[in-house]
Amino acid sequence: MHQLSQGPYPPTDVHDAALLTPPHTIQQHATDYRSLNLNIIHEYPSTEGQSPGANILIATPLMDGAAYLEKYFQKLTEINYPKELISLAFLVSTVAKDESIDSTLVTLNEHVSKLVSHSHYRRITVIQQKAAPSAYSHHQRHQYKLQESRRKELARCRNALLATALLDESWVLWLDVDIVEYSPDLLQMLMHLNVDIVVPNCLRSGSSLWRTEGVPYDRNNWIETTESLATQRDLEDDEVLFEGYERDHPTYRQSMADLDRKHQVLVVLDGVGGTFTLIKAQVHRAGINFPTLPIDHQIETEGLAKWAKREGFGVYGAPFLIIQHS
Amino acid sequence: MHQLSQGPYPPTDVHDAALLTPPHTIQQHATDYRSLNLNIIHEYPSTEGQSPGANILIATPLMDGAAYLEKYFQKLTEINYPKELISLAFLVSTVAKDESIDSTLVTLNEHVSKLVSHSHYRRITVIQQKAAPSAYSHHQRHQYKLQESRRKELARCRNALLATALLDESWVLWLDVDIVEYSPDLLQMLMHLNVDIVVPNCLRSGSSLWRTEGVPYDRNNWIETTESLATQRDLEDDEVLFEGYERDHPTYRQSMADLDRKHQVLVVLDGVGGTFTLIKAQVHRAGINFPTLPIDHQIETEGLAKWAKREGFGVYGAPFLIIQHS
C-alpha cells in the first residue's frame, strides 16, 4: 500500500498508530505536508493484481518539438494504464530570445490545457528552461563532431526535468516527443518485465509496425563486444564515444536493432537510448541520472546505462517490442 | 517574479498572455497542475530587496538521530528567513526490522506535527527509506576502512532525499542533524554571497562560538595542494580518498578549518562536507548530486564538489563563519 499523504497532519492513511502523535485540532495553515515511505513505493509486484497501482512519471524533454505534439498526445491518451496513476512532465528548452513566442511552449500549453480540463492525470508539470543557443541547424544535429555538445545539453535538460518533476512515483518513462507509433499496451508490457531499466526497439517510421522487418533508428541500444572493449583500452579517460558514426569512429558494438526480432527474448544491454526508456524510480533515487561527464566513455542515456550497471542495476532491451520514430 | 502556479489551468500568475490559451470554464478535476519557469527561479539577486524571496529547501538525512532533534528544531526555528519561503525535507534511514518503532522517525514525526500545526513553512516532506544494516557500531563509524561503504550509503540517502523532495526551490541547504550551534543570520549571510556552493567552518562543540579559536570538526572542506595532487597521480582510478586519516593515508590537503579565521575572505575549495552546505538548486538540476562512484578519487559531498568544479560551478568556503558540531 502506498503510504503517501498530502494535506493536514496527521496523515490519514498511515496504518501504524505508533507513527502518529495523539490527535489534536487541525488548524488552517499553509504548510504542504507529505509523508512518503520509499520502501513501499519501491516494491512493484511482478504479478498482476497485487498492487493498488504503481505511479509513473512520463518525462518528455522538448526543443523545437511543436510539429510532433499533436501525434504525441494522441498516442499518449491511448496508453492502456490508469491516468490517475500517470504524472506527466515536460521541459521546454527555450532558445528564442522572446520566450513567450516559443511555438513549442505555446502549442504544448494548448494541449496541456485540454488534458487538465478533460482528463484525470495525477499531476502535470510544465517546465521552461533556457538552453544554450545551438550553433547548428536541425538537419546538422546528427553530425559526429556536434554530438558531444548536443548530447551534453540533452543530458542537462533531462536532469533538470528529473530533479524538478519526480516526486513519489515508482517508475519513470522517458518518452521522446518524436516517437510516432507504439502499442497502447507497451508501457504495461515493459512494466511487467519488472526490471530496473528496459527499452523497446526503436525503428524508423514507415517500417511495418508489429512486424519483424524494419529499418533501425535508435542505435544507442547496444551491447559491448570483445572488439569494442578492446578499442576502449586505448582511449583517453575523457574521450566520449557515439554510435552510428562508423566512418568517423567505429565502436564495433552490437546494436540491438540488428538482432533477430522474432524471438521473445530480453537481452542484456550496455548502452540505452532515451526514446521510450522505462526506469524504476529507485535507480534515479540512488543518484543515477544523465551524466554530462563520461562514465566508461559514455554520456547522457548511454552514460546512464553504464552508471546503472556499475551500481548493480539491470539494463535490458526487448528487440521484439517495436516502436517507431518519426 | 516567480512563475510558479499550482491548481487549475490556466495559471493566474503567468504575465505573458501569449502563453495562455483563451479562457474557458474551469472544471473540478483531480489533476495537480504546475507551471515552472526555471529561468526565473534561478536568478537570485545578490542585492537585497529586488526579489520577492527565493525559496529554499532545507534537506536533512537522518539515521539514529533522535537525540539531536530537539536542539535541531530549536535552532531551525530561530533561522532569520521567512518560513513561507522554506521547505523542509527529512529522509529517515530506517535500519530496525520494525520500522514503526524506529525512534528517530517517531521523534521526528512529533516535531513535524508541531511545525505543521503551529508554523507556516512552505512544504514539509518526511521520507523513510530502508538502509543497509551497518556492520559497525556508532562509535566505530569513523574508522578509516569503514569510510567507503559508510559514505556511499550516506550519498545514496542524500540522493534519494534530493530526488524526492526538490521541486522549484532556488536553493538547497544540506543541514546535518547534529549541528548544534549556528547564527540565526548564517543562512542569509551565505545566500547573499550568491555563489554556487558555499560552506561555513564546522568546529567541535564546546569551542567558543563566534571567536577565532576552536577545534576543527569537519575536515571535508579542503583545498588541494601541489603535494596532494602529486600523490593522486599514482592512484588507481577507482581509489577513494578520505580526510582525517593521516596515519592510514595522508592526503596532504589544506583543511579549511586550519586556515586563519580572522579575515573575512572567501576561499576557493576543492572538497566540501555536508554539515551546513548551501547549494544553488541549478547545480543539482544540472545533474550534480552525491556520487557513489569516485570522481577524481572522491565520493559523496567531496565528490559533489569535484563534480561541480568540473562542470564550471564555483565552490567556496567561509573560514570566518563558524558553526558547531555536537
Side-chain angles (χ1 to χ4, degrees):
Chain A
M1 203 184 84
H2 282 225
Q3 197 165 328
L4 161 68
S5 68
Q6 293 183 36
Y9 190 96
T12 52
D13 59 346
V14 174
H15 47 67
D16 196 306
L19 297 183
L20 299 176
T21 49
H24 55 264
T25 309
I26 305 292
Q27 301 182 319
Q28 285 297 324
H29 58 77
T31 307
D32 170 7
Y33 169 77
R34 284 189 182 88
S35 174
L36 313 174
N37 187 338
L38 296 185
N39 304 322
I40 296 173
I41 69 172
H42 278 177
E43 288 166 21
Y44 181 74
S46 54
T47 48
E48 286 181 78
Q50 287 188 357
S51 166
N55 291 308
I56 182 167
L57 175 70
I58 300 184
T60 298
L62 286 164
M63 189 189 282
D64 294 334
Y68 303 107
L69 284 168
E70 182 75 33
K71 183 74 175 170
Y72 171 94
F73 280 103
Q74 182 204 318
K75 297 306 298 177
L76 186 77
T77 52
E78 290 171 12
I79 287 181
N80 181 18
Y81 196 70
K83 296 201 174 21
E84 313 83 67
L85 302 180
I86 299 177
S87 300
L88 303 175
F90 306 90
L91 184 136
V92 181
S93 302
T94 47
V95 286
K97 267 191 181 176
D98 182 359
E99 288 165 38
S100 62
I101 55 162
D102 182 288
S103 70
T104 304
L105 189 59
V106 172
T107 310
L108 176 67
N109 276 332
E110 286 167 5
H111 284 282
V112 166
S113 169
K114 285 178 211 153
L115 286 194
V116 172
S117 304
H118 300 296
S119 60
H120 295 268
Y121 288 93
R122 187 166 182 249
R123 191 171 74 254
I124 303 180
T125 311
V126 174
I127 306 163
Q128 330 171 30
Q129 180 174 269
K130 266 196 202 95
S134 55
Y136 49 87
S137 66
H138 188 72
H139 68 271
Q140 286 178 320
R141 72 197 160 117
H142 287 298
Q143 286 181 16
Y144 179 67
K145 62 182 178 182
L146 296 175
Q147 289 312 297
E148 188 162 342
S149 62
R150 178 177 164 265
R151 296 284 299 275
K152 277 191 180 188
E153 188 62 30
L154 250 171
R156 284 187 203 102
C157 292
R158 291 187 192 275
N159 289 334
L161 181 49
L162 182 68
T164 309
L166 180 62
L167 180 61
D168 61 329
E169 287 81 8
S170 304
W171 295 90
V172 180
L173 175 70
W174 292 93
L175 174 56
D176 273 359
V177 70
D178 40 12
I179 297 303
V180 293
E181 202 57 72
Y182 53 87
S183 158
D185 293 323
L186 180 59
L187 177 58
Q188 293 238 37
M189 288 161 80
L190 292 175
M191 277 175 145
H192 279 104
L193 294 170
N194 199 26
V195 295
D196 298 318
I197 301 179
V198 64
V199 290
N201 210 343
C202 183
L203 306 184
R204 195 175 290 279
S205 168
S207 313
S208 56
L209 192 58
W210 328 133
R211 299 273 294 279
T212 50
E213 57 269 32
V215 180
Y217 181 88
D218 192 348
R219 291 278 184 194
N220 293 338
N221 303 317
W222 45 257
I223 306 164
E224 297 281 19
T225 61
T226 310
E227 207 172 0
S228 73
L229 291 171
T231 60
Q232 290 176 54
R233 274 177 220 121
D234 302 325
L235 297 179
E236 295 291 321
D237 279 355
D238 59 355
E239 198 162 346
V240 182
L241 294 176
F242 300 100
E243 292 304 303
Y245 298 89
E246 295 308 309
R247 276 179 300 187
D248 298 286
H249 201 308
T251 60
Y252 307 107
R253 271 118 175 207
Q254 173 61 59
S255 186
M256 180 173 79
D258 292 330
L259 293 177
D260 186 343
R261 301 168 200 155
K262 284 198 293 287
H263 308 291
Q264 304 264 321
V265 179
L266 272 191
V267 294
V268 174
L269 295 182
D270 294 297
V272 298
T275 58
F276 199 108
T277 307
L278 183 66
I279 302 183
K280 285 191 180 175
Q282 61 175 316
V283 175
H284 287 312
R285 288 202 184 92
I288 297 164
N289 51 33
F290 300 91
T292 53
L293 297 177
I295 295 184
D296 297 344
H297 308 293
Q298 302 300 148
I299 60 172
E300 213 233 340
T301 56
E302 294 159 293
L304 171 135
K306 285 279 188 180
W307 189 355
K309 294 194 76 156
R310 280 221 192 181
E311 295 283 8
F313 292 105
V315 181
Y316 298 90
F320 54 94
L321 295 175
I322 308 295
I323 64 173
Q324 288 190 355
H325 193 282
S326 83
Chain B
M1 203 186 83
H2 283 225
Q3 198 165 324
L4 161 69
S5 67
Q6 293 183 35
Y9 191 95
T12 53
D13 59 346
V14 174
H15 47 66
D16 195 306
L19 298 183
L20 298 176
T21 48
H24 56 263
T25 308
I26 305 294
Q27 301 182 317
Q28 286 297 323
H29 58 77
T31 306
D32 170 7
Y33 170 76
R34 284 189 181 88
S35 174
L36 313 174
N37 187 336
L38 297 185
N39 304 321
I40 296 173
I41 68 172
H42 279 178
E43 287 166 23
Y44 180 74
S46 54
T47 49
E48 286 180 80
Q50 287 188 357
S51 166
N55 291 309
I56 182 166
L57 175 71
I58 300 184
T60 298
L62 285 164
M63 189 189 282
D64 295 334
Y68 302 107
L69 284 168
E70 182 76 32
K71 183 72 175 171
Y72 171 93
F73 280 103
Q74 182 204 317
K75 297 306 298 177
L76 185 77
T77 53
E78 291 170 13
I79 286 180
N80 181 17
Y81 196 71
K83 295 200 173 25
E84 312 84 65
L85 302 178
I86 299 177
S87 298
L88 303 175
F90 305 90
L91 184 135
V92 181
S93 303
T94 47
V95 287
K97 268 192 181 177
D98 182 358
E99 288 165 37
S100 61
I101 56 163
D102 181 288
S103 70
T104 304
L105 189 59
V106 171
T107 310
L108 175 67
N109 275 332
E110 285 168 4
H111 284 283
V112 166
S113 170
K114 285 179 210 155
L115 287 193
V116 173
S117 304
H118 300 296
S119 60
H120 295 268
Y121 287 94
R122 186 165 182 249
R123 190 171 75 254
I124 303 180
T125 310
V126 174
I127 305 163
Q128 330 170 28
Q129 180 173 268
K130 267 197 202 95
S134 55
Y136 50 87
S137 66
H138 189 71
H139 68 271
Q140 285 177 320
R141 74 198 159 117
H142 285 300
Q143 287 181 16
Y144 179 67
K145 63 181 176 180
L146 296 177
Q147 288 313 296
E148 188 162 341
S149 61
R150 178 178 164 265
R151 295 285 298 278
K152 276 191 179 187
E153 188 61 30
L154 250 169
R156 284 188 205 103
C157 292
R158 290 187 192 277
N159 289 335
L161 181 48
L162 181 69
T164 310
L166 180 63
L167 180 61
D168 61 329
E169 288 80 10
S170 304
W171 295 91
V172 180
L173 175 69
W174 291 94
L175 174 55
D176 273 359
V177 69
D178 39 13
I179 297 303
V180 294
E181 201 60 71
Y182 54 86
S183 158
D185 293 322
L186 180 59
L187 177 59
Q188 294 239 36
M189 289 161 79
L190 292 175
M191 276 175 146
H192 279 104
L193 293 170
N194 199 27
V195 294
D196 298 317
I197 300 180
V198 63
V199 290
N201 209 341
C202 182
L203 307 183
R204 194 176 290 281
S205 166
S207 313
S208 56
L209 192 58
W210 329 132
R211 301 273 295 280
T212 51
E213 58 268 31
V215 180
Y217 181 87
D218 193 347
R219 292 280 182 193
N220 293 338
N221 303 317
W222 45 257
I223 305 164
E224 296 281 18
T225 61
T226 310
E227 207 172 0
S228 73
L229 290 171
T231 60
Q232 290 175 54
R233 274 178 220 121
D234 302 326
L235 298 179
E236 295 292 322
D237 278 356
D238 60 352
E239 199 163 345
V240 183
L241 293 176
F242 299 100
E243 291 304 303
Y245 299 89
E246 295 309 308
R247 275 179 303 186
D248 298 285
H249 201 308
T251 59
Y252 306 107
R253 270 120 175 205
Q254 174 62 58
S255 185
M256 179 172 80
D258 292 329
L259 293 177
D260 186 343
R261 300 167 200 156
K262 283 198 293 288
H263 308 291
Q264 304 263 322
V265 180
L266 271 192
V267 294
V268 174
L269 296 182
D270 295 297
V272 298
T275 59
F276 199 108
T277 306
L278 183 66
I279 303 183
K280 283 190 180 174
Q282 62 174 315
V283 176
H284 287 313
R285 287 201 185 92
I288 297 165
N289 52 32
F290 300 91
T292 54
L293 297 177
I295 295 184
D296 296 345
H297 308 294
Q298 302 300 147
I299 60 172
E300 211 232 342
T301 56
E302 293 159 293
L304 171 135
K306 285 280 188 179
W307 190 356
K309 294 193 75 154
R310 279 220 192 182
E311 295 283 8
F313 292 106
V315 181
Y316 298 91
F320 55 93
L321 295 175
I322 308 295
I323 65 172
Q324 288 191 353
H325 193 282
S326 82

